[in-house]
């Protein structure tokens, strides 16, 4: 474990606390499977920079680079068992990212929704918040701990639980949300802003609907942008990058 000074809050961060969702694909780079060490290195460097700018940072990490429950179930595996395998795979990715963050001098904790006492703390909400307040980067592993969910839903749930101001979704090879798949349809239009409901109704492939509706009901904005060098830092600094999904509050409502 690396002991390093806590980051001094500075004027550079527009957010006090954010949750960054990294898909398994984002860790894979151009590979077919597993993790790309160069990619992990650049992500870790940037996250540590963001943290040093004064923002509290929590991460939820997917596992599409190793196991996706639904795909394994299509191949004949029992769905719930496949999902548990997927959740355990997020733990492998979490330890890999933890190691890279600590090599860059950050203090970190992995909190797992499935008990793996030898390698990570159990997820306890108040403990997660305390770690963030103490200047540690918190990595939430094992998704929600329940099969039939995704790490997008885990990101929405944990972001709400810790009072994050936004979810930052760094995507592989897409600049944000489009009204079609830009890798397939050359006429797909980039959408700089939309509401959660529009994303759900138009079936835009940004996050699964469980996660989107949780964010919509709780007015949690989602910033979707390409995982290109410096983008996480730009978003946290308040720059306009990619797509913002938000639902304005009803001015007549109490909250
Ligand atoms: N998973 C699950 N419950 C959760 C989170 C994840 O069962 O709360 C399983 C599910 O099988 C999923 C896999 O873990 O396919 C990996 O997560 P995900 O597909 O969300 O990873 P990503 O697409 O972000 O890489």
């Amino acid at each position: 474990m690396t002991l390093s000074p806590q980051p001094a809050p500075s004027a550079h961060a527009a957010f006090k606390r954010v949750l960054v969702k990294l898909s398994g694909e984002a860790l894979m780079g151009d590979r077919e499977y597993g993790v790309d060490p160069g990619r992990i290195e650049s992500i870790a460097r940037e996250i540590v920079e963001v943290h040093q700018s004064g923002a509290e940072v929590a991460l939820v990490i997917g596992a599409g680079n190793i196991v996706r429950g639904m795909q394994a179930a299509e191949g004949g595996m029992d769905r719930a068992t496949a999902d548990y395998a997927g959740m355990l795979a997020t733990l492998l990715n979490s330890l890999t990212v933890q190691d890279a963050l600590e090599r860059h001098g950050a203090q970190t904790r992995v909190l797992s929704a499935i008990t793996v006492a030898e390698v990570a703390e159990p997820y306890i909400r108040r403990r997660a918040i305390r770690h963030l307040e103490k200047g540690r980067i918190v990595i939430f592993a094992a998704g929600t701990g329940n099969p039939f969910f995704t790490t997008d839903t885990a990101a929405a749930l944990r972001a709400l639980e810790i009072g994050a101001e936004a979810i930052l979704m760094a995507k592989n090879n897409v600049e944000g949300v489009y009204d079609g798949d830009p890798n397939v349809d050359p006429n797909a239009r980039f959408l700089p802003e939309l509401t959660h409901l529009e994303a759900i109704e138009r079936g835009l492939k940004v996050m699964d609907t469980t996660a989107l509706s949780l964010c919509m009901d709780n007015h949690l904005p989602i910033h979707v942008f390409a995982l290109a060098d410096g983008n996480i830092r730009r978003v946290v600094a308040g720059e306009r990058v990619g797509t913002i999904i938000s639902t304005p509050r009803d001015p007549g409502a109490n909250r």
Side-chain angles (χ1 to χ4, degrees), residues 203-252:
L204 301 175
K205 302 228 169 335
V206 46
M207 230 188 191
D208 60 79
T209 44
T210 312
L212 276 169
S213 57
L214 197 53
C215 294
M216 176 176 73
D217 291 348
N218 294 283
H219 300 272
L220 181 64
I222 309 163
H223 293 247
V224 187
F225 54 91
L227 184 65
D229 242 1
N231 272 353
I232 301 176
R233 184 165 32 79
R234 286 188 196 100
V235 174
V236 173
E239 272 182 54
R240 191 68 188 73
V241 182
T243 299
I244 300 178
I245 306 174
S246 62
T247 300
R249 282 183 192 277
D250 174 357

Side-chain angles (χ1 to χ4, degrees), residues 21-25 61-65 67-70 79 82-84 86-87 90 142-152 154:
K21 163 72 207 295
L22 294 172
S23 65
E25 249 179 49
I61 305 185
N65 57 326
V67 183
R68 265 189 221 283
M70 220 184 308
R79 170 71 195 268
D83 280 341
Y84 278 109
M87 286 186 268
T90 71
T144 63
N146 301 293
F148 302 99
F149 286 93
T150 65
T151 52
D152 286 351

